[in-house]
Amino acid sequence: MTKALIVVDVQRDFCEGGSLAVAGGNAVAANVREYVLNGGSGGALYVVATRDYHVDPGAHFGEWPVHCRVGTEGAEFHPAVADLPFDAEFRKGEHAAAYSGFEGVDAAGSGLSLEAWLRERGVIEVDVCGLATDFCVAATAKDAERLGFTTRVLVELSAAVNQG
Ligand SMILES: [Zn+2]
């Protein structure tokens, strides 16, 4: 079964010190790094990252503190994951809220959605991790399941806004 690991939004603004920090974000970044570099990514053939990437997302800024604005340091990947060999990066949310990585588009300019990119490579199984468990990780995993991918959330490689 061809599997992909989807690393959701491990960006500076979602980690300690960022504008919308999730407690445990820095640890998630370090653990994801370890998992990819020394843990074989759990057998995933592909590793992709999603990135919250806001220009003017309307009411999303207001519902949440301003975060991951294009061109700011906060939108960058956390330093622990920035140099990981991601096979692709999917950016989402330029002009509207986008919680699911499946709303993202290939940053390399292929025009492919995350779903199309995965299907092109025969991926049928996905592991999802990152920030935050109860928002973008959950939305990404729900979409993956709805689209028919065998889906698993790696809770030990994720952190939640609401710890309950
Ligand atoms: Zn956002």
Side-chain angles (χ1 to χ4, degrees):
M1 292 228 292
T2 303
K3 180 160 81 172
L5 172 66
I6 304 173
V7 178
V8 175
D9 298 7
V10 181
Q11 294 166 260
R12 286 176 180 264
D13 268 346
F14 294 133
C15 297
E16 287 89 344
S19 68
L20 186 46
V22 178
N26 285 337
V28 164
N31 292 338
V32 167
R33 178 182 188 81
E34 175 67 18
Y35 187 71
V36 171
L37 294 184
N38 300 315
S41 303
L45 184 58
Y46 300 104
V47 181
V48 304
T50 72
R51 197 167 155 196
D52 215 27
Y53 200 71
H54 295 311
V55 176
D56 175 20
H60 186 55
F61 284 174
E63 189 180 350
W64 299 98
V66 172
H67 61 278
C68 300
R69 196 191 272 281
V70 173
T72 66
E73 205 171 64
E76 299 300 320
F77 286 122
H78 187 285
V81 303
D83 66 344
L84 290 181
F86 294 122
D87 293 295
E89 171 191 329
F90 294 84
R91 295 174 177 171
K92 60 187 176 65
E94 289 188 31
H95 299 288
Y99 293 96
S100 169
F102 284 90
E103 295 179 69
V105 175
D106 181 10
S110 71
L112 292 176
S113 66
L114 175 55
E115 181 192 3
W117 192 97
L118 293 172
R119 294 215 193 278
E120 235 179 38
R121 287 158 182 80
V123 172
I124 55 173
E125 184 180 357
V126 298
D127 287 344
V128 185
C129 67
L131 304 171
T133 314
D134 41 350
F135 289 94
C136 291
V137 171
T140 301
K142 281 177 186 162
D143 270 351
E145 195 158 57
R146 181 178 56 77
L147 293 166
F149 295 98
T150 299
T151 305
R152 191 165 66 135
V153 174
L154 306 182
V155 290
E156 71 280 11
L157 291 179
S158 306
V161 173
N162 300 297
Q163 298 299 320

